[in-house]
């Protein structure tokens, strides 16, 4: 009798079904923090209207917009102060800024994403943005099940291969199987604070072909590893 310990990794993947866009907007107020909050509210309301026009009215009702908490800060300038013939540096209030993160999730459609980004990337109140692609939780669970099956099938095939190398009277029994953590793999495309100049220029020049080529959508995958203990008799 021989005991064989081995591991097999199964894979499953699919094209993304969801796209996520994250935007950070700011509102600026000269007089008070309330002014910046009011300005931010106007900016967010305008953006939400644009997002609904692009993502809902045109092709899909599956739009989720989540608003993060608002952060308000006072922004100061460094100034030189002269006193008693000496120059010192001090701070002088410049303005107030309120910022908020808006996360938009909807069905994947690159044309719609380009159209929406094209309407907001030159907004002076936009601090940063990024986008990514993914799948739903139900789809992730389904992929996990497929990857587990793939790992199990590979394990059985390996046992049958070992059996073929032995005497035909030999059989085997799987005594134990244990699972490692399931991993999600696949590249997630993002454009954010470090905006690509080519990407930005394409928006300015309305070069849709170049924009599409700059957006790389890869399959989202899941891998599952199973450790086997098999006895051959």
């Amino acid at each position: 009798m021989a005991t064989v310990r081995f591991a097999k990794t199964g894979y499953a993947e699919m094209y993304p079904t969801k796209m996520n866009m994250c935007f950070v907007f700011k509102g600026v107020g000269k007089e008070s923090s309330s002014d910046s909050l009011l300005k931010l509210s106007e900016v967010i309301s305008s953006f939400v209207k644009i997002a609904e026009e692009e993502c809902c009215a045109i092709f899909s009702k599956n739009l989720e917009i989540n608003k993060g908490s608002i952060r308000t800060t006072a922004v100061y300038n460094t100034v030189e102060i002269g006193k008693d013939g000496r120059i010192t540096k001090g701070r002088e209030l410049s303005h107030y800024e309120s910022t908020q993160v808006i996360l938009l999730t909807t069905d994947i459609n690159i044309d719609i994403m380009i159209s929406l980004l094209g309407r907001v990337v030159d907004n002076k109140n936009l601090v940063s943005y990024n986008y990514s692609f993914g799948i739903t939780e139900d789809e992730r669970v389904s992929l996990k099940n497929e990857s587990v099956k793939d790992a199990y099938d590979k394990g059985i095939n390996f046992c049958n291969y070992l059996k073929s190398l032995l005497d035909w009277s030999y059989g085997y029994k799987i005594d134990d199987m244990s699972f490692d953590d399931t991993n999600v793999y696949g590249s997630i495309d993002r454009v954010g604070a470090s905006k690509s100049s080519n990407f930005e220029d394409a928006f300015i020049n309305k070069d849709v072909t170049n924009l599409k080529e700059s957006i790389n959508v890869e399959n989202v995958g899941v891998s599952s590893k199973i450790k086997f203990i098999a006895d051959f008799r």
Side-chain angles (χ1 to χ4, degrees):
M1 182 177 70
T3 299
V4 179
R5 300 172 185 268
F6 63 95
K8 292 294 179 181
T9 301
Y11 300 93
E13 61 181 28
M14 65 180 293
Y15 189 80
T17 58
K18 294 293 181 180
M19 59 186 185
N20 307 298
M21 287 175 277
C22 182
F23 301 87
V24 180
F25 290 98
K26 70 178 178 180
V28 177
K30 292 290 185 180
E31 302 298 328
S32 67
S33 58
S34 297
D35 291 339
S36 68
L37 288 170
L38 178 60
K39 180 60 178 178
L40 178 63
S41 176
E42 295 172 350
V43 170
I44 297 301
S45 295
S46 176
F47 169 73
V48 169
K49 182 179 179 181
I50 291 173
E52 290 175 342
E53 288 176 354
E54 293 291 347
C55 298
C56 284
I58 297 179
F59 87 104
S60 172
K61 299 299 182 183
N62 297 320
L63 172 67
E64 293 182 17
I65 298 178
N66 294 305
K67 301 178 182 180
S69 58
I70 298 174
R71 180 182 178 185
T72 302
T73 58
V75 179
Y76 293 86
N77 292 327
T78 300
V79 296
E80 293 185 345
I81 302 173
K83 184 177 181 181
D84 298 330
R86 300 179 60 185
I87 301 297
T88 60
K89 290 186 176 181
R91 295 199 310 165
E92 181 180 79
L93 179 65
S94 172
H95 59 274
Y96 294 91
E97 283 188 3
S98 294
T99 58
Q100 188 173 26
V101 177
I102 306 297
L103 178 62
L104 183 155
T105 302
T106 190
D107 298 333
I108 189 169
N109 186 307
I110 303 303
D111 290 331
I112 295 299
M113 187 179 76
I114 290 175
S115 180
L116 176 57
L117 290 175
R119 294 181 65 178
V120 298
V121 291
D122 59 351
N123 187 328
K124 65 180 181 180
N125 298 107
L126 179 65
V127 177
S128 64
Y129 71 93
N130 64 60
Y131 61 80
S132 62
F133 307 105
I135 57 179
T136 67
E137 180 60 24
D138 287 344
E139 289 168 338
R140 192 195 70 80
V141 171
S142 178
L143 282 183
K144 176 183 177 180
N145 292 337
E146 289 182 31
S147 68
V148 169
K149 181 180 183 303
D150 185 44
Y152 177 79
D153 290 343
K154 288 178 178 177
I156 296 303
N157 289 337
F158 183 67
C159 286
N160 288 331
Y161 171 71
L162 291 181
K163 178 183 174 181
S164 69
L165 297 178
L166 302 171
D167 187 275
W168 284 108
S169 63
Y170 276 66
Y172 68 86
K173 180 179 72 172
I174 303 296
D175 278 346
D176 188 46
M177 291 189 301
S178 59
F179 294 85
D180 279 1
D181 289 338
T182 298
N183 297 313
V184 177
Y185 67 92
S187 175
I188 297 180
D189 200 3
R190 294 183 183 276
V191 171
S194 56
K195 300 175 184 177
S196 164
S197 59
N198 291 336
F199 195 79
E200 296 298 323
D201 290 343
F203 270 120
I204 295 173
N205 298 324
K206 301 186 183 301
D207 186 354
V208 176
T209 300
N210 188 42
L211 281 170
K212 285 188 174 182
E213 291 177 352
S214 300
I215 298 174
N216 183 29
V217 185
E218 295 186 5
N219 284 353
V220 175
V222 172
S223 65
S224 297
K225 184 177 182 181
I226 303 179
K227 296 179 180 179
F228 294 85
I229 299 177
D231 282 338
F232 287 79
R233 304 169 185 246

